[in-house]
Amino acid sequence: MKEKFNSIDLFKFFMAIAVVAIHTNPFAHCESTLVNQVVIVIEDISVPFFFMASGYLLAVRWGDTCQQRKKCIQKSLFSTVRLYTVWTLLSLPLTIYGYVISDNNIVSCILSYIKYFFFVGKLYNSYHLWYLLAMIYAFLVMWVLIHYEKNTLHILMIGIFFYFIYLVLAWIRQSEEESGLLAGVGRAFDFVFNNGGVFTGLFYMSIGIFFREYRRNNVPVSVVGIVTGILIKYGLSQEFGNILVAVMFFALVLNIKLKNRKSYMILRNLSKYIYLSHLLCFSFYTFVIIRQPNKLGVDSFIVTFVLATLFSSAIICGKELTKRGAVKVAL
């Protein structure tokens, strides 16, 4: 019997809603500190959840041999490159608009586009696509490691290393030092990668892979880990608290067993396309319908989510009809 991942599919959908909330901010005028803090915790685990789910599902299907794993990673890499390219091009009108209002000259805009496309993944109102670019970087590193016959633990260690470098460079950026070698390195890194978010993907994806192959935790451990992470987040270190909460939350979801239903696969597909399309829908609503560019609030959240869901449903139905047509032709 084919293994199902119903809890992952369900919570990917919830995390897609959280991502829409991040970019539309329905709580912009909420004055409740408790509500705002809960919202922040949920928002901070949404993208890491997607990364870990991607890593986990990659490990499900990548086989046991080096050749099988390289082939699976290569297939995933090509698929992600295609997605990133297509959705970046779909967002090109918004990108052009962003450059027009920036008043930069055409050469500066072209160089900026090249930089953001290859090294940052955050163009005007398509900044969520950095997630796909981070996955591309992660797949490239994993392919190289697997090619040299490295195992899951090696991938995890390299993921931790990249994340450590990311944190060190973030610390350099926040320090007051304006001269010296470290400051120069920090400025150079910023110039090319901005905050370096593309280097966080491998870390969380490697954790997802590790969970698939070595998971031993249970529900009580996950709950204690989430609570501890929240305490660390607000008491000691926001970054490390976020990591612990995200990882333990993903572990908790893995322990949730749900009966098989076709609806979970539908939710998986919806979450994918809602994530990819929601900023296009947000821009359409705020630019075209109400003519208040990038207006935040409850109405923007609701309309964006509804439009993205309808748009995603249309894509899924279109792909299904195309698939059925191809099968009929083959017969």
Side-chain angles (χ1 to χ4, degrees):
M1 183 177 178
K2 188 176 180 180
E3 188 177 0
K4 302 293 184 180
F5 308 97
N6 300 327
S7 61
I8 293 178
D9 293 338
L10 177 62
F11 280 88
K12 280 183 71 176
F13 181 72
F14 291 153
M15 293 300 106
I17 297 174
V19 170
V20 176
I22 292 172
H23 296 145
T24 57
N25 198 358
F27 300 96
H29 305 294
C30 178
E31 296 181 356
S32 171
T33 302
L34 178 61
V35 170
N36 286 325
Q37 295 299 339
V38 171
V39 169
I40 290 171
V41 170
I42 295 173
E43 291 179 345
D44 285 343
I45 67 175
S46 57
V47 176
F49 185 93
F50 277 111
F51 280 129
M52 286 184 282
S54 295
Y56 187 92
L57 296 174
L58 174 70
V60 167
R61 64 181 187 273
W62 72 355
D64 300 315
T65 68
C66 177
Q67 286 303 117
Q68 287 175 327
R69 293 187 174 188
K70 283 173 60 179
K71 185 177 180 180
C72 182
I73 292 171
Q74 186 172 307
K75 182 179 178 181
S76 299
L77 172 62
F78 289 158
S79 176
T80 307
V81 168
R82 184 170 61 250
L83 270 180
Y84 180 62
T85 303
V86 168
W87 285 91
T88 301
L89 290 176
L90 286 173
S91 302
L92 186 57
L94 288 169
T95 302
I96 293 173
Y97 171 82
Y99 283 129
V100 168
I101 64 176
S102 72
D103 290 329
N104 292 327
N105 63 60
I106 189 168
V107 174
S108 175
C109 291
I110 291 173
L111 292 176
S112 173
Y113 188 87
I114 293 171
K115 165 191 168 179
Y116 278 83
F117 182 86
F118 288 103
F119 304 114
V120 182
K122 294 183 178 182
L123 291 158
Y124 187 85
N125 275 25
S126 60
Y127 37 83
H128 63 306
L129 297 180
W130 75 270
Y131 166 79
L132 294 177
L133 185 59
M135 286 185 64
I136 291 170
Y137 276 64
F139 284 135
L140 287 170
V141 174
M142 282 191 279
W143 190 92
V144 171
L145 292 173
I146 296 298
H147 177 74
Y148 288 101
E149 300 183 349
K150 304 303 179 182
N151 59 31
T152 302
L153 288 175
H154 289 112
I155 294 174
L156 178 61
M157 294 304 296
I158 294 298
I160 293 172
F161 171 76
F162 275 113
Y163 202 89
F164 175 75
I165 297 300
Y166 160 76
L167 292 179
V168 169
L169 290 170
W171 173 78
I172 292 173
R173 290 196 306 273
Q174 293 170 4
S175 68
E176 296 180 356
E177 184 180 358
E178 297 181 358
S179 59
L181 179 61
L182 284 179
V185 170
R187 285 194 296 271
F189 183 84
D190 269 355
F191 179 76
V192 178
F193 297 104
N194 283 22
N195 68 351
V198 291
F199 293 104
T200 63
L202 179 62
F203 171 68
Y204 283 111
M205 287 182 72
S206 65
I207 291 175
I209 294 170
F210 186 84
F211 269 123
R212 174 61 185 176
E213 298 195 351
Y214 299 101
R215 178 165 59 96
R216 296 290 185 273
N217 64 298
N218 51 35
V219 172
V221 171
S222 300
V223 172
V224 171
I226 291 171
V227 174
T228 303
I230 293 173
L231 294 176
I232 292 173
K233 175 183 175 72
Y234 290 107
L236 296 174
S237 168
Q238 179 177 339
E239 191 69 40
F240 290 111
N242 285 340
I243 292 172
L244 185 57
V245 173
V247 171
M248 289 294 100
F249 179 77
F250 185 73
L252 178 64
V253 169
L254 291 178
N255 282 283
I256 298 174
K257 304 301 179 183
L258 300 171
K259 292 182 179 180
N260 289 334
R261 289 189 176 87
K262 186 178 180 180
S263 57
Y264 293 121
M265 180 56 70
I266 295 173
L267 290 179
R268 177 190 294 190
N269 290 325
L270 279 175
S271 66
K272 173 183 176 180
Y273 290 110
I274 287 173
Y275 183 94
L276 291 172
S277 67
H278 74 279
L279 279 180
L280 288 175
C281 297
F282 171 65
S283 300
F284 176 74
Y285 172 65
T286 60
F287 280 69
V288 179
I289 297 179
I290 63 174
R291 298 187 179 183
Q292 299 179 51
N294 297 325
K295 174 185 176 293
L296 303 177
V298 175
D299 63 314
S300 293
F301 169 72
I302 294 174
V303 175
T304 297
F305 176 69
V306 171
L307 289 177
T309 302
L310 293 174
F311 186 60
S312 301
S313 300
I315 294 175
I316 294 168
C317 290
K319 292 182 69 174
E320 185 64 28
L321 290 173
T322 302
K323 183 178 178 181
R324 290 179 184 177
V327 170
K328 288 181 179 179
V329 171
L331 294 176

